[in-house]
Amino acid sequence: METTNFFNQIAQMGITGDLQLTISKGIANNFIVSIILLNEQCGDNAKQLIPPLNLRGTAEELDEGFFQQITAPLQTASGLMVNMEAFMKQLEEAKKQSAMEKEKGEKEKKEQEAKDKKFKEGMAKADELEKEGKFRDAWMKVPEMTEFPEKADEIRKRKSELSDKFSSTGLFATEQPNV
């Protein structure tokens, strides 16, 4: 029995997927060979647009040039489908990352809003106490620079304004100045 090495040559092509081969008898001792590569792992429907490779010729012509004619197109189709699947996976990962980034951004926004609210409440309480003439208490209610470093100048200015209103005995005096 003669060895054809047919399957060894298929294996050497290094294609990914299922190779479907249809051989039909044509007219005048010719054959029609239709080859299509299917890759079920590829989730992109564009793979359906890849047409089958069709060869026509006598048995001798097909024996001589079959693998020369099919190797490059099948390797190209295989690579395309593998790349399409990789693209689909990366696209899905990008969607997940986008959702995660959006969620992270929303969380950071909420945290910043809570921090801003705390700052405004502290400043409002200080304003209220200042109106009541309780400058020391107002000074104590001004938020700390360590908690709000981005507002350090505003905090420093506000504390300075309040400390200027203290009586001459200083920060720990018990008398309220006459305003």
Side-chain angles (χ1 to χ4, degrees):
M1 184 181 264
E2 188 177 324
T3 304
T4 62
N5 293 326
F6 181 83
F7 293 101
N8 281 326
Q9 289 186 14
I10 295 282
Q12 289 174 10
M13 290 187 341
I15 56 175
T16 301
D18 299 329
L19 193 60
Q20 287 189 352
L21 186 71
T22 304
I23 303 171
S24 302
K25 189 151 178 132
I27 35 178
N29 293 328
N30 278 341
F31 288 96
I32 302 166
V33 180
S34 181
I35 304 166
I36 190 160
L37 182 63
L38 304 175
N39 184 341
E40 295 304 318
Q41 311 300 283
C42 180
D44 192 334
N45 288 333
K47 69 182 179 185
Q48 306 291 346
L49 300 175
I50 300 172
L53 177 62
N54 294 313
L55 301 174
R56 298 173 196 276
T58 63
E60 292 79 24
E61 291 170 335
L62 291 171
D63 282 342
E64 287 177 19
F66 182 74
F67 283 100
Q68 293 168 343
Q69 294 294 316
I70 70 165
T71 301
L74 288 179
Q75 287 174 337
T76 301
S78 176
L80 177 62
M81 284 189 268
V82 168
N83 288 339
M84 286 165 44
E85 179 57 21
F87 174 78
M88 295 300 286
K89 286 179 181 176
Q90 288 174 338
L91 188 62
E92 193 61 37
E93 185 61 30
K95 285 180 187 177
K96 287 178 189 174
Q97 291 293 329
S98 176
M100 287 171 55
E101 287 300 316
K102 184 177 179 183
E103 188 177 296
K104 181 180 171 186
E106 287 176 9
K107 181 180 177 187
E108 288 173 0
K109 183 179 176 185
K110 286 180 183 179
E111 288 173 359
Q112 186 61 44
E113 287 173 356
K115 193 174 179 182
D116 288 346
K117 181 180 177 187
K118 183 178 177 182
F119 177 80
K120 287 178 184 177
E121 286 174 353
M123 293 299 269
K125 186 66 174 170
D127 291 344
E128 185 181 310
L129 290 168
E130 180 185 18
K131 288 176 186 172
E132 294 173 12
K134 300 177 181 177
F135 304 116
R136 279 174 219 74
D137 291 339
W139 190 90
M140 296 296 288
K141 291 296 181 181
V142 173
E144 293 298 319
M145 283 185 266
T146 54
E147 285 186 65
F148 304 96
E150 70 280 0
K151 306 229 184 215
D153 291 339
E154 186 178 345
I155 293 170
R156 194 176 295 113
K157 180 181 174 192
R158 187 71 177 116
K159 283 196 173 199
S160 177
E161 290 170 356
L162 289 168
S163 64
D164 288 346
K165 295 182 181 182
F166 290 169
S167 64
S168 61
T169 55
L171 178 63
F172 300 104
T174 57
E175 295 178 25
Q176 298 294 327
N178 295 330
V179 179

